[in-house]
Amino acid sequence: VRGTYAGTLSRVVLQVRQVFQRVAVTSAAASADERFAFFKSKVLPRLLGASGGLGGGEGGAGAQDHTLLFVPTYFDFLRLRRLLKTESAHFAALSAYAEDASISRARNRLFHGKVPLLLYTERLHFY
């Protein structure tokens, strides 16, 4: 006998917007470069917005505030971090190599709106 359980996810008060985008790639070997090119041409301009978005000082209103960018590999993380620095974007970055204190600071800064974007590696999330 199996009962039906409605679950509790629908009771979550705060709705979190998640965005997933399909990236068409020509081959597995070229997928990393093509994903990066897609991010640079399609996603980053929306994050930066017309007014500079992620740029500027702490607490500045950007096009996309409180954004967590979950990055699957450390190599992608390094590449995105370098791109965001080149674009003078205001962000925090966390990887599995971060100290506990810097992890707490970066999460706190995102939560309180002092940085609009947090780069976050999959490895940090699971380990």
Side-chain angles (χ1 to χ4, degrees):
V1 175
R2 286 190 175 169
T4 303
Y5 182 67
T8 58
L9 194 56
S10 62
R11 292 187 218 158
V12 174
V13 177
L14 179 64
Q15 295 294 321
V16 177
R17 182 171 171 241
Q18 296 184 36
V19 178
F20 297 93
Q21 294 185 321
R22 180 182 290 280
V23 179
V25 295
T26 56
S27 70
S31 67
D33 292 331
E34 291 174 4
R35 279 194 330 266
F36 182 73
F38 180 86
F39 178 84
K40 190 174 179 179
S41 66
K42 304 287 185 193
V43 178
L44 186 60
R46 280 189 300 203
L47 286 175
L48 295 176
S51 64
L54 299 177
E58 289 193 6
Q64 297 282 326
D65 286 343
H66 299 282
T67 300
L68 175 69
L69 191 58
F70 191 78
V71 185
T73 69
Y74 188 68
F75 298 111
D76 289 339
F77 170 81
L78 294 174
R79 203 173 195 187
L80 289 174
R81 187 177 67 180
R82 187 176 338 121
L83 173 65
L84 290 169
K85 284 182 179 182
T86 302
E87 296 290 329
S88 299
H90 190 61
F91 69 100
L94 291 177
S95 71
Y97 304 106
E99 300 287 328
D100 288 344
S102 61
I103 292 171
S104 295
R105 272 192 307 273
R107 291 176 62 196
N108 189 311
R109 292 176 71 205
L110 178 71
F111 180 78
H112 292 290
K114 293 181 180 178
V115 292
L117 174 69
L118 177 62
L119 274 183
Y120 191 81
T121 62
E122 183 175 6
R123 182 174 171 86
L124 175 65
H125 185 71
F126 288 106
Y127 299 106

